[in-house]
């Protein structure tokens, strides 16, 4: 008998482990996903933030480092152009003051002045002296312009007002880009203007000297957006520039703009004083960012590798820890099932005396009736009537059937370990459990009352597990009440999905400070005995069946255990 029980226990534990592994597999997967996601987010998000901050700061530093030369060269270019114009205007003013109107109106003397200016400053193409009526009275240069009238030109009115004039670049009848500068002086016989034509090649050379980077472009532009010098990107002088000219060009800073093709540009503007010129120094935005591509690729590679390593470590660590936790849970479940089975066997051991006495009565009847039949046969006397013999045999059979029922019920309770869902009549199940204790109840005059409807509800659950739950609770009630005590069992439907079974005794009760520990393992209030596992195992079984167990008690008044069970949901 011992070996089959061990085999049965091993089979039951194996079945429990397989079932728990199937049920907990989804829970472990969810835990794994949650752990990986949470730890990954905690580690990767700060890494992403720090990488983004580093990217922003490094890009800002690189932009500042890349754009600072543009700002500096734009300032240098503005100073060079302003110096060039100031130098040439001062040269004209000096010629006017040294020579005077009387000498400058002489074409021969004017040619001497032009030669000296060309040698000293360069860039002068011709000179002309214009009287207060706008007539050019003398001229020195490659063209025949003496006697030409400029009275209707805007520049003549402007120089008459401001005394200094610098024109836009224009073609004129020379059919080549050029611009003019002029100064006015007042002679004894009336005001006059000394006008000079400047070759734009000088401007082109000055501007092109700023192109220290292959991606840069530098040119002069007027307020109407017309190129005054040649541009690498937008063509030759006097063509319209496709970038929008600011109303008030900023000095010493870069402006991000888009040209007509949608290309992003960084443009530095510098207005040239006492002229219509604005220096523009620009670079494509992508060219300035080219130096950032290498570090950015390295930073992105570092980020990707770091994320991969973090995910690998987090996933590997989480899988390892969860596997260890799963192994621990399976061991704990195995120990729990063994304790559950041991507790059941212990309960049966406590009931063995009552069961033996219950079996002893029908065995005595069997012995008595069989002895009587043997005496009748051995003494060779006249046999009793047929009805008497049938009565004796029937008594033997009924007693044997009663013994068989007792042992079958006992073995069925002992062997049942695997969780099996079936329809259960709670009244029948509770009366089966009380059948093990009816002799003790009779000896101790313990009264057991039932308080539930004539047709108690039926639930779908595990019969063997519920037998152990109610047997543990009823055993505790028997231990708590004195001889002649009272136990009441009630069944009621809590709501549409649950049924509550209450077991109330009028025993010694449990102190309030002990109630919170009553379901803890190895906690017991029984003096001189008790393992403290019965109610702990009961609590675990009820939880596993998807139910709840509560207790209320008062010292000297009794204790009430209430087990709430689902009527038909799947077992957890």
């Amino acid at each position: 008998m011992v070996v089959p029980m061990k085999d049965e226990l091993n089979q039951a534990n194996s079945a429990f482990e397989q079932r728990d592994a199937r049920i907990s597999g989804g829970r472990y997967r969810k835990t794994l996903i949650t752990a990986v996601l949470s730890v990954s987010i905690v580690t990767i998000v700060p890494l992403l933030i720090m990488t983004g901050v580093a990217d922003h700061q490094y890009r800002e530093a690189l932009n500042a480092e890349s754009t600072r030369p543009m700002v500096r060269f734009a300032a240098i270019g503005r100073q060079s152009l302003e110096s060039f114009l100031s130098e040439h205007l001062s040269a004209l003013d000096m010629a006017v003051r040294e020579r005077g109107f009387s000498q400058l109106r002489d074409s021969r003397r004017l040619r001497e002045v032009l030669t000296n200016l060309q040698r000293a400053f360069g860039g002068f193409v011709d000179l002309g002296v214009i009287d207060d009526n706008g007539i050019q009275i003398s001229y020195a240069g490659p063209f025949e312009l003496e006697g030409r009238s400029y009275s209707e030109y805007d520049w003549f009115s402007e120089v008459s007002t401001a005394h200094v004039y610098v024109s836009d670049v224009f073609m004129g009848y020379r059919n080549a880009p050029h611009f003019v500068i002029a100064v006015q002086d007042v002679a004894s016989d009336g005001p006059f203007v000394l006008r000079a034509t400047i070759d734009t090649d000088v401007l082109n050379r000055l501007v092109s000297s700023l192109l220290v980077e292959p991606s840069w472009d530098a040119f002069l532009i007027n307020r109407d957006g017309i190129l005054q010098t040649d541009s690498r990107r937008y063509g030759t002088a006097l063509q319209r520039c496709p970038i929008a000219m600011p109303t008030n060009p900023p000095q010493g800073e870069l402006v991000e703009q888009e040209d007509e093709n949608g290309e992003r540009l960084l443009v530095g503007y510098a207005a040239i004083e006492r002229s219509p010129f604005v220096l523009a120094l620009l670079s494509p935005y992508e060219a300035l960012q080219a130096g950032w591509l290498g570090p950015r690729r390295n930073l992105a590679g570092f980020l990707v590798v770091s994320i991969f390593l973090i995910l690998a470590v987090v996933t590997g660590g989480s899988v390892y820890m969860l596997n260890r936790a799963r192994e621990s849970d399976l061991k704990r479940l195995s120990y729990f099932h063994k304790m559950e089975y041991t507790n059941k066997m212990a309960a049966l051991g406590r009931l063995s005396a009552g069961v033996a006495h219950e079996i002893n009565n029908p065995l005595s009847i069997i012995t008595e009736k069989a002895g009587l039949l043997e005496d009748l046969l051995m003494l060779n006397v006249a046999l009793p009537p047929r009805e008497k013999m049938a009565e004796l045999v029937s008594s033997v059979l009924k007693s044997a059937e009663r013994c068989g029922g007792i042992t079958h019920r006992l073995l069925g309770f002992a062997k049942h370990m695997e969780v099996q869902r079936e329809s259960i009549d709670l009244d029948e199940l509770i009366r089966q459990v009380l059948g093990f204790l009816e002799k003790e109840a009779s000896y101790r005059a313990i009264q057991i009352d039932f308080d539930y409807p004539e047709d108690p509800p039926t639930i779908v659950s595990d019969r063997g597990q519920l037998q152990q739950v109610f047997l543990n609770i009823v055993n505790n009630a028997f231990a708590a009440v004195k001889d002649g005590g009272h136990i009441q069992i009630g069944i009621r439907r809590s709501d549409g999905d649950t049924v509550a079974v209450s077991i109330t005794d009028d025993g010694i009760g449990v102190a309030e400070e002990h109630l919170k520990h009553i379901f803890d393992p190895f906690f017991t209030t029984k003096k001189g005995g008790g393992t403290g596992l019965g109610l702990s195992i009961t609590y675990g079984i009820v939880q596993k069946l998807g139910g709840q167990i509560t207790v209320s008690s008062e010292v000297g008044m009794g204790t009430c255990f209430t087990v709430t069970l689902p009527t038909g949901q799947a077992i957890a």
Side-chain angles (χ1 to χ4, degrees):
M1 188 79 174
V2 176
V3 174
M5 278 197 177
K6 287 185 177 179
D7 293 340
E8 180 187 339
L9 179 58
N10 292 334
Q11 293 174 0
N13 286 334
S14 177
F16 271 120
E17 289 176 2
Q18 294 175 3
R19 173 184 173 274
D20 290 329
R22 291 194 303 270
I23 293 175
S24 62
R27 183 174 71 250
Y28 283 116
R29 281 193 295 272
K30 291 181 181 178
T31 304
L32 175 62
I33 293 173
T34 302
V36 171
L37 287 179
S38 58
V39 178
S40 299
I41 289 173
V42 169
T43 53
I44 291 176
V45 168
L47 180 63
L48 292 174
I49 294 175
M50 291 181 63
T51 304
V53 171
D55 175 83
H56 176 74
Q57 291 180 343
Y58 193 87
R59 185 169 53 199
E60 290 294 323
L62 184 64
N63 283 342
E65 190 67 26
S66 301
T67 57
R68 189 177 295 114
M70 291 187 64
V71 175
R72 184 171 65 252
F73 276 93
I76 293 173
R78 176 174 61 84
Q79 292 175 359
S80 298
L81 290 167
E82 287 179 351
S83 297
F84 172 81
L85 292 176
S86 177
E87 181 181 75
H88 284 65
L89 288 171
S90 298
L92 289 184
D93 186 64
M94 182 181 64
V96 167
R97 296 182 183 278
E98 287 185 354
R99 299 286 181 160
F101 181 68
S102 59
Q103 293 186 32
L104 293 176
R105 65 186 302 173
D106 183 354
S107 298
R108 184 178 61 84
R109 296 287 182 88
L110 189 61
R111 282 193 292 272
E112 291 177 0
V113 172
L114 175 61
T115 300
N116 293 333
L117 292 177
Q118 287 175 337
R119 289 175 180 175
F121 302 100
F124 287 96
V125 177
D126 60 18
L127 290 176
V129 177
I130 304 167
D131 63 15
D132 59 346
N133 295 319
I135 304 300
Q136 189 160 255
I137 58 176
S138 65
Y139 172 79
F143 304 100
E144 296 293 335
L145 298 178
E146 192 170 329
R148 184 178 179 84
S149 175
Y150 294 101
S151 59
E152 296 180 358
Y153 285 80
D154 293 337
W155 71 265
F156 182 74
S157 301
E158 186 173 340
V159 74
S160 300
T161 303
H163 306 296
V164 176
Y165 174 72
V166 178
S167 75
D168 293 335
V169 173
F170 61 98
M171 295 291 289
Y173 63 86
R174 292 177 173 84
N175 200 28
H178 63 281
F179 71 101
V180 298
I181 61 175
V183 295
Q184 186 189 47
D185 193 22
V186 179
S188 59
D189 51 352
F192 70 97
V193 174
L194 180 59
R195 176 181 183 270
T197 301
I198 306 297
D199 189 357
T200 55
D201 287 342
V202 179
L203 296 180
N204 283 322
R205 286 194 299 271
L206 289 173
V207 172
S208 61
S209 65
L210 304 175
L211 301 176
V212 296
E213 294 291 340
S215 61
W216 287 10
D217 189 12
F219 50 85
L220 291 178
I221 188 174
N222 66 10
R223 307 287 175 162
D224 297 326
I226 304 300
L227 290 174
Q228 305 295 287
T229 60
D230 296 340
S231 168
R232 284 180 174 179
R233 300 172 61 87
Y234 304 122
T236 58
L238 300 181
Q239 293 183 354
R240 179 166 292 279
C241 182
I243 60 174
M245 177 70 181
T247 304
N248 295 311
Q251 296 281 8
E253 63 180 276
L254 297 180
V255 179
E256 186 174 335
Q257 289 184 256
E258 289 187 0
D259 62 13
E260 60 183 5
N261 297 322
E263 184 178 8
R264 295 175 64 191
L265 304 169
L266 283 177
V267 187
Y269 292 102
I272 309 303
E273 290 185 356
R274 298 200 300 178
S275 77
F277 303 140
V278 176
L279 175 63
L281 182 62
L282 64 84
S283 174
Y285 189 82
E286 289 75 10
L288 293 176
Q289 297 295 311
W292 168 230
L293 294 180
R296 193 171 196 177
R297 281 194 296 267
N298 295 336
L299 190 61
F302 169 78
L303 179 62
V304 171
V305 172
S306 299
I307 291 176
F308 175 78
L309 291 177
I310 288 172
L311 291 177
V313 172
V314 169
T315 303
S318 299
V319 170
Y320 174 77
M321 296 301 296
L322 282 177
N323 284 337
R324 295 292 301 273
R326 188 173 185 175
E327 292 175 2
S328 177
D329 288 346
L330 290 177
K331 290 180 180 179
R332 180 180 58 82
L333 289 172
S334 177
Y335 294 148
F336 179 80
H337 296 321
K338 289 178 181 179
M339 286 193 301
E340 185 180 332
Y341 187 81
T342 303
N343 180 259
K344 179 182 284 189
M345 294 299 102
L348 290 178
R350 290 193 298 271
L351 301 175
S352 59
V355 171
H357 184 79
E358 188 174 355
I359 293 178
N360 187 56
N361 287 337
L363 287 178
S364 298
I365 295 174
I366 292 173
T367 303
E368 178 187 350
K369 301 302 181 183
L372 179 59
L373 287 174
E374 183 181 19
D375 291 342
L376 291 174
L377 293 173
M378 293 298 295
L379 293 176
N380 199 17
V381 296
L383 295 176
R386 185 181 183 87
E387 292 79 6
K388 182 63 176 178
M389 293 292 291
E391 181 181 349
L392 292 175
V393 172
S394 176
S395 177
V396 170
L397 293 176
K398 287 182 179 178
S399 297
E401 183 180 354
R402 182 180 175 188
C403 288
I406 294 171
T407 56
H408 178 75
R409 182 177 60 190
L410 187 63
L411 292 176
F413 178 68
K415 290 180 180 180
H416 190 75
M417 283 291 292
E418 292 188 22
V419 176
Q420 296 177 350
R421 297 179 68 245
E422 59 181 290
S423 180
I424 299 173
D425 184 339
L426 287 175
D427 175 49
E428 176 188 356
L429 183 138
I430 292 174
R431 290 184 185 276
Q432 286 179 354
V433 172
L434 293 174
F436 295 112
L437 300 166
E438 59 184 4
K439 289 300 179 182
E440 181 180 353
S442 176
Y443 293 153
R444 297 177 55 191
I446 296 175
Q447 181 181 354
I448 300 177
D449 294 332
F450 299 92
D451 179 20
Y452 44 79
E454 295 181 359
D455 185 17
T458 299
I459 68 171
V460 176
S461 190
D462 178 74
R463 181 178 297 274
Q465 302 276 8
L466 287 182
Q467 283 178 337
Q468 184 167 354
V469 167
F470 293 125
L471 180 60
N472 287 341
I473 297 175
V474 172
N475 264 334
N476 276 355
F478 270 63
V481 298
K482 299 179 180 179
D483 293 349
H486 178 260
I487 296 175
Q488 184 176 22
I489 300 175
I491 302 176
R492 69 181 186 277
R493 186 181 294 274
S494 298
D495 52 42
D497 297 326
T498 59
V499 172
V501 179
S502 61
I503 300 175
T504 307
D505 65 68
D506 58 357
I508 59 176
V510 180
E512 183 177 357
E513 62 270 17
H514 294 157
L515 278 179
K516 59 184 178 181
H517 302 293
I518 199 166
F519 295 116
D520 293 348
F522 307 109
F523 177 80
T524 180
T525 58
K526 296 178 181 178
K527 296 181 179 180
T531 62
L533 292 175
L535 288 178
S536 174
I537 292 174
T538 299
Y539 181 85
I541 294 174
V542 173
Q543 291 289 320
K544 183 167 59 178
L545 295 175
Q548 293 181 341
I549 181 172
T550 58
V551 59
S552 60
S553 183
E554 186 176 349
V555 176
M557 300 297 295
T559 304
C560 176
F561 285 89
T562 302
V563 179
T564 304
L565 297 167
T567 58
Q569 69 179 33
I571 298 173

